[in-house]
Amino acid sequence: MAYVDGFVLAVPEANKSAYRAHAEKAWPLFQEFGALSMWECWGDDVPDGKLTSFAMAVKAEPGEAVVFSWMLWPDKAARDAGWKRMMEDPRMAEMQEMPFDGKRMIYGGFAPLVQAGAMA
């Protein structure tokens, strides 16, 4: 069964182009190591919350946008093997400078429960 890695992060709005370039550079590696697809979504309608929200979860500061992204893998075993190989690949060292604060990124792996409709 398919497996999903999900991410939420805060990116300075001034770094939108740099973030896009970073994601586009990373995709060939993810794909090489088994990812089926990647979505990088720039916050467009992300309301502030009173108790919780995307922005609160990543401690977004003024001038930062919330980014919601996910990668689809064939299954959890492929995801685990892919991430292991990527972390050992010297090309990943070239991508260590990120256009956002990685300490405030939240992420996790998810087993799909319900999937309906097209993904594109």
Side-chain angles (χ1 to χ4, degrees):
M1 174 180 259
Y3 198 77
V4 177
D5 275 329
F7 308 86
V8 181
L9 53 144
V11 179
E13 292 171 357
N15 289 357
K16 185 175 184 179
S17 293
Y19 183 83
R20 177 191 295 260
H22 182 79
E24 289 172 344
K25 183 177 180 182
W27 169 241
L29 290 175
F30 289 125
Q31 189 175 29
E32 178 181 335
F33 294 121
L36 300 174
S37 64
M38 178 181 80
W39 291 70
E40 297 289 340
C41 305
W42 193 261
D44 179 58
D45 185 11
V46 184
D48 289 330
K50 292 185 182 186
L51 293 178
T52 189
S53 67
F54 281 111
M56 292 167 102
V58 295
K59 300 185 185 311
E61 299 171 358
E64 291 183 326
V66 173
V67 172
F68 175 64
S69 67
W70 70 92
M71 274 189 287
L72 181 65
W73 298 86
D75 53 43
K76 187 174 190 304
R79 176 264 204 165
D80 291 348
W83 275 107
K84 182 179 185 313
R85 288 176 50 215
M86 275 188 288
M87 293 300 111
E88 295 169 350
D89 192 295
R91 294 173 291 176
M92 287 299 287
E94 299 169 12
M95 302 195 60
Q96 293 304 314
E97 190 166 327
M98 299 180 286
F100 59 93
D101 180 1
K103 293 181 197 125
R104 292 185 286 139
M105 176 174 65
I106 59 174
Y107 59 91
F110 299 85
L113 184 60
V114 175
Q115 191 270 319
M119 287 292 293

